[in-house]
């Protein structure tokens, strides 16, 4: 079967482009979120506006403090330079807050257009942010690739009718087959992408 061309790539941030040291267990404990519940979903269920705003600020403060310690993941600059040479547009969609995202992108000297944080659209696995990118680029979702390291990323791509690339830098998870492709480094990433993007011109 002939694969449809990839005409644009959207990236997750933490664990995909830069390192993250966020302690999600400690974050849940700080706002009273049950261990099995998604943090953002929990905050959204808080009925008291003051409690919700306080929980949101607590999480933002933790994210911003952690953002100062991020490091660029190996192979990312070379990979992005190659995509630029291939004339493939790149965007960023993250569950991070706007403030922490800005810090990490500045520290890593990375640029994307557009950059969508959780303030811009419902958080992944909701597909809204990915579809916003598709609309802004005027590229059909089936011609876009979403790249991430977590199951939310893969489900968001599926929900948006996009293909997905699991970047498994710390070992391949049991759910790897949910992704369209998997890679353990960005050399392999480019090897997978090369025949798909070069046919798009």
């Amino acid at each position: 079967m002939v694969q449809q061309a990839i005409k644009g790539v959207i990236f997750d941030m933490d664990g995909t482009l830069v390192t993250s040291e966020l302690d999600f267990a400690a974050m849940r404990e700080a706002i009273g979120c049950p261990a099995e519940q998604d943090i953002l979903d929990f905050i959204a269920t808080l009925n008291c506006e003051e409690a919700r705003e306080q929980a949101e600020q607590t999480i933002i403060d933790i994210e911003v403090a952690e953002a100062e310690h991020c490091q660029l993941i190996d192979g990312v600059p070379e990979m992005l330079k190659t995509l630029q040479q291939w004339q493939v547009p790149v965007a960023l969609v993250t569950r991070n807050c706007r403030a922490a995202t800005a810090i990490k992108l500045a520290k890593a000297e990375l640029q994307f257009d557009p950059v969508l944080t959780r303030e811009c659209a419902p958080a992944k696995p909701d597909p809204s942010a990915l579809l916003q990118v598709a609309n802004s680029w005027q590229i059909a979702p089936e011609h876009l690739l979403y790249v991430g390291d977590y199951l939310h990323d893969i489900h968001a791509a599926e929900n948006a009718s996009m293909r997905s690339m699991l970047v498994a830098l710390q070992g391949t998870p049991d759910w790897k087959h949910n992704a369209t492709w998997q890679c353990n480094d960005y050399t392999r990433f480019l090897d997978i992408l090369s025949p798909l993007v070069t046919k798009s011109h």
Side-chain angles (χ1 to χ4, degrees):
M1 187 179 77
V2 177
Q3 292 270 15
Q4 288 187 305
I6 296 292
K7 299 180 180 180
V9 181
I10 309 170
F11 289 91
D12 170 51
M13 185 172 65
D14 285 357
T16 301
L17 301 171
V18 298
T19 60
S20 174
E21 299 174 358
L22 286 172
D23 184 339
F24 291 105
M27 292 168 74
R28 287 185 174 88
E29 184 176 352
I31 62 171
C33 175
E36 71 281 358
Q37 191 166 1
D38 180 89
I39 292 171
L40 299 182
D41 287 347
F42 170 76
I43 293 175
T45 65
L46 296 175
N47 292 323
C48 173
E49 183 177 353
E50 183 178 354
R52 189 166 59 249
E53 289 177 354
Q54 186 174 12
E56 287 173 350
Q57 191 59 52
T58 297
I59 296 303
I60 288 172
D61 290 344
I62 293 171
E63 289 176 333
V64 168
E66 185 273 337
E68 298 288 353
H69 304 290
C70 80
Q71 294 183 337
L72 196 59
I73 287 172
D74 288 345
V76 168
E78 297 82 2
M79 176 271 295
L80 290 173
K81 184 177 180 181
T82 299
L83 292 183
Q84 184 180 34
Q85 291 170 346
W86 289 347
Q87 297 182 328
V88 175
V90 292
L92 185 80
V93 170
T94 175
R95 282 169 61 98
N96 252 278
C97 68
R98 183 180 290 114
T101 299
I103 292 170
K104 290 191 172 188
L105 291 180
K107 283 182 64 66
E109 297 183 347
L110 297 176
Q111 291 185 330
F112 297 90
D113 185 23
V115 172
L116 299 182
T117 64
R118 66 170 178 264
E119 290 93 343
C120 304
K124 301 171 293 185
D126 188 292
S128 298
L130 299 187
L131 294 173
Q132 277 190 36
V133 175
N135 185 60
S136 70
W137 284 346
Q138 291 295 288
I139 298 175
E142 57 266 27
H143 288 293
L144 297 179
L145 174 70
Y146 188 56
V147 183
D149 69 319
Y150 190 58
L151 189 56
H152 278 328
D153 303 318
I154 308 309
H155 284 163
E158 183 179 7
N159 293 338
S161 298
M162 296 179 186
R163 280 167 286 175
S164 58
M165 178 83 74
L166 168 65
V167 179
L169 304 175
Q170 307 298 327
T172 310
D174 294 339
W175 44 265
K176 64 180 181 180
H177 297 297
N178 287 279
T180 312
W181 298 286
Q182 310 96 37
C183 66
N184 295 316
D185 59 55
Y186 279 108
T187 299
R188 176 61 181 152
F189 172 87
L190 291 172
D191 287 344
I192 293 170
L193 225 57
S194 178
L196 296 171
V197 300
T198 52
K199 294 176 182 176
S200 67
H201 301 302

